[in-house]
Amino acid sequence: MEHIISHFQLQGAPIRCERYGNGHINETYLLETDAPHAYILQKVNRQVFPDVPNLMRNIQLVTSYLWQQTPDPRRVLTLVPTTDGQAYMVDPDGEFWRVYEFVTDSLCLDRPENERDLQQSGLAFGTFQNQLASFPAHTLKEIIPHFHDTPVRYEQLKDAIRMDRAGRVKEAKAEIEAYMAFEKYAGFLMNLLKQGELPLRVTHNDTKLNNVLLDAATRTPLCVIDLDTVMPGLAANDFGDSIRFGAATAREDEQDLSKVGMSLQLFEAYARGFLSACGTRLTPLEKETLPMGAMLMTLECGSRFLADYFNGDVYFHNARPGQNLCRARTHIKMAQDMESKLGQMQKIIESIV
Ligand code: ADP
Ligand code: GN1
Ligand code: MG
């Protein structure tokens, strides 16, 4: 690790470097120096991201664009260059490492403590989308093709079932059936996109609550992080992924399914924050499709957890055996709850608009 750290232009000498955060993809460390100064050191997951140079190029383009609007290292994710001025280094094993400024006095939440926290995260992601509204989208590389193409994700689930690499399909017949019962919805947003009814925007694509930092003192938005998947996408998906995670009544991997559902109060809180920041930019149809975005992102993410379970847990970090199956179960339960609440969600959006 010392060899890797020595490649970056740091203030002070390193004194501590420990695993940090609850991300499912990258290997993240909090790195502290005697300056004193703190950094985030990350090994980028190259199984998930096969084209790290272009991923890093996207992040550089987006963060320098945001920096022009808000030149403040607590408000824009800030890359720390290597000693030879690069945005990342490659170690002898071919692993990619990068360093960010640690955003100090910030909160990263896995659950909102109250409705206001979620409203503030909505404000953060809505503002992010607003700030990137004029960003030249064509300069961004599509880092994971079909990332939020729900019908393709369903096909990937079916492939995983067919291959049954880990021999687990027999344990999850009921879950498979439940997901398949929702397949009829999968193409809803992608069809509107193909018909030219919905616009592509520069979106974050991974808008969960723990990808935004709030100011620890005021609990107001500081900085949107985890920019690996910034690409052209649909506003409803950015909205929906936040609802999937933040408006849930239980954790992503809750084992007691009786606790799992979507809270309409939290839904409303997020919608208020999000729409107050970017509502005027969205078309009437984009606003109308926000509830569907919530349900589809929940189904899609759940189908990805289930597929990963069948593939032998090769994509998402798993802290315990069966965690992916557990996540898939909460997500289908959430999607069922959302289906029954689509009308109420619609009314909430109309009341805000
Ligand atoms: P992953 O793709 O694995 O989710 P993230 O980039 O989201 O990786 O980082 C994982 C966690 O590390 C975040 O949820 C957050 O807690 C923390 N983190 C990441 N970047 C920063 C930063 N610049 N300042 C403070 N904390 C950060
Ligand atoms: C991953 O990286 P992280 O933990 O913020 C995943 C998202 C999923 C999410 C589920 C690149 O997000 O797509 O929605 O887990 N990121 C990637 O919690 O696949
Ligand atoms: Mg993350």
Side-chain angles (χ1 to χ4, degrees):
M1 198 61 97
E2 274 144 47
H3 165 75
I4 285 149
I5 296 170
S6 69
H7 278 79
F8 290 89
Q9 293 181 34
L10 305 180
Q11 293 178 37
I15 49 174
R16 230 185 328 270
C17 185
E18 285 164 1
R19 277 300 282 269
Y20 190 76
N22 292 327
H24 292 341
I25 301 296
N26 297 309
E27 208 173 289
T28 303
Y29 299 82
L30 170 62
L31 167 62
E32 290 168 285
T33 73
D34 63 3
H37 203 95
Y39 299 94
I40 286 285
L41 168 71
Q42 275 183 331
K43 182 165 95 179
V44 184
N45 186 325
R46 63 186 166 116
Q47 276 71 48
V48 166
F49 302 113
D51 187 359
V52 182
N54 268 312
L55 174 153
M56 292 304 297
R57 187 177 159 273
N58 280 0
I59 294 180
Q60 283 181 292
L61 288 172
V62 168
T63 53
S64 35
Y65 188 85
L66 294 173
W67 186 261
Q68 283 163 22
Q69 298 174 46
T70 321
D72 177 350
R74 289 182 75 228
R75 294 191 180 272
V76 181
L77 192 61
T78 305
L79 278 164
V80 175
T82 63
T83 46
D84 51 5
Q86 303 300 309
Y88 59 90
M89 64 90 63
V90 189
D91 75 12
D93 298 328
E95 300 289 356
F96 291 79
W97 295 85
R98 68 185 170 204
V99 170
Y100 290 118
E101 289 288 344
F102 182 82
V103 177
T104 52
D105 304 312
S106 64
L107 286 176
C108 179
L109 303 173
D110 282 306
R111 300 284 304 278
E113 216 163 78
N114 48 45
E115 286 161 25
R116 187 171 175 271
D117 283 346
L118 198 63
Q119 180 174 356
Q120 294 302 306
S121 82
L123 185 59
F125 285 118
T127 303
F128 183 82
Q129 194 162 118
N130 211 18
Q131 286 177 319
L132 293 174
S134 304
F135 183 91
H138 66 273
T139 59
L140 291 179
K141 173 98 182 169
E142 195 182 3
I143 276 308
I144 303 183
H146 303 289
F147 190 60
H148 285 322
D149 186 333
T150 313
V152 168
R153 294 299 193 174
Y154 258 89
E155 289 312 313
Q156 291 172 351
L157 172 59
K158 289 181 198 167
D159 285 345
I161 296 168
R162 252 190 309 274
M163 313 267 249
D164 195 13
R165 283 198 188 89
R168 294 170 171 173
V169 165
K170 58 181 178 307
E171 297 161 22
K173 292 285 183 206
E175 287 77 8
I176 294 173
E177 207 176 297
Y179 274 95
M180 291 310 156
F182 274 84
E183 195 184 2
K184 57 179 186 267
Y185 292 110
F188 187 88
L189 290 173
M190 288 308 286
N191 289 342
L192 289 173
L193 175 67
K194 281 184 199 137
Q195 289 155 12
E197 304 281 335
L198 286 175
L200 271 183
R201 302 189 179 277
V202 176
T203 48
H204 182 280
N205 295 302
D206 191 0
T207 52
K208 58 185 191 183
L209 184 61
N210 67 16
N211 285 333
V212 64
L213 302 176
L214 301 182
D215 186 295
T218 61
R219 295 181 95 92
T220 54
L222 267 185
C223 185
V224 169
I225 58 170
D226 202 347
L227 304 181
D228 295 334
T229 50
V230 175
M231 299 181 268
L234 296 176
N237 287 339
D238 262 12
F239 176 87
D241 198 35
S242 287
I243 299 300
R244 166 191 80 78
F245 191 85
T249 54
R251 305 191 84 88
E252 198 178 52
D253 62 348
E254 173 60 56
Q255 284 170 300
D256 178 355
L257 287 179
S258 69
K259 292 185 182 157
V260 176
M262 186 208 61
S263 152
L264 282 170
Q265 286 73 28
L266 288 171
F267 174 89
E268 174 160 0
Y270 187 87
R272 285 198 182 278
F274 186 76
L275 288 171
S276 72
C278 70
T280 53
R281 288 208 186 263
L282 304 185
T283 67
L285 186 63
E286 277 181 299
K287 288 180 222 173
E288 212 179 289
T289 53
L290 296 179
M292 196 50 127
M295 192 175 85
L296 286 188
M297 287 304 290
T298 305
L299 279 173
E300 182 190 289
C301 191
S303 72
R304 292 171 60 202
F305 289 139
L306 190 57
D308 194 34
Y309 179 68
F310 293 148
N311 289 334
D313 307 318
V314 291
Y315 187 96
F316 296 102
H317 290 168
N318 273 249
R320 53 183 166 82
Q323 197 174 14
N324 268 327
L325 178 59
C326 195
R327 291 168 176 152
R329 286 182 176 142
T330 61
H331 280 56
I332 193 64
K333 176 93 193 288
M334 284 257 289
Q336 288 160 349
D337 192 35
M338 287 175 174
E339 186 187 33
S340 73
K341 290 176 176 162
L342 279 173
Q344 285 160 287
M345 289 194 261
Q346 207 61 60
K347 286 213 175 71
I348 290 171
I349 298 294
E350 280 161 21
S351 76
I352 298 172
V353 172

